[in-house]
């Protein structure tokens, strides 16, 4: 943990507030979750349910409003 504050709400992969952009490395995420196919294709992940498979670097994204 780098001590960066994370926005979150549901902690179950359903709201998208913890969405991060994976800029290096690989994560595994259970399905179903609230990410759209387009978001997955752009390397977004949900920090609350994503498990790193390799060392990762992420950018904390501005939360989307549903």
């Amino acid at each position: 943990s780098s001590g960066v504050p994370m926005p979150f709400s549901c902690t179950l992969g359903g709201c998208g507030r913890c969405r991060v952009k994976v800029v290096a490395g690989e994560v595994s995420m259970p399905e179903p979750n609230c990410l759209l196919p387009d978001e997955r294709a752009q390397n977004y992940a949900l920090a609350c349910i994503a498990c790193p498979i390799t060392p990762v670097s992420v950018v904390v994204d501005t939360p989307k409003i549903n």
Side-chain angles (χ1 to χ4, degrees):
S1 167
S2 67
V4 176
M6 281 293 302
F8 66 91
S9 187
C10 75
T11 69
L12 300 170
C15 74
R17 291 197 35 91
C18 67
R19 185 176 83 159
V20 295
K21 176 105 176 189
V22 178
V23 294
E26 198 175 338
V27 299
S28 172
M29 253 186 338
E31 300 279 340
N33 59 58
C34 70
L35 286 182
L36 300 171
D38 207 37
E39 292 171 311
R40 284 186 206 84
Q42 294 174 49
N43 274 350
Y44 282 100
L46 300 171
C48 71
I49 61 170
C51 293
I53 297 172
T54 65
V56 296
S57 293
V58 299
V59 173
V60 177
D61 198 27
T62 302
K64 63 183 179 177
I65 305 298
N66 289 339

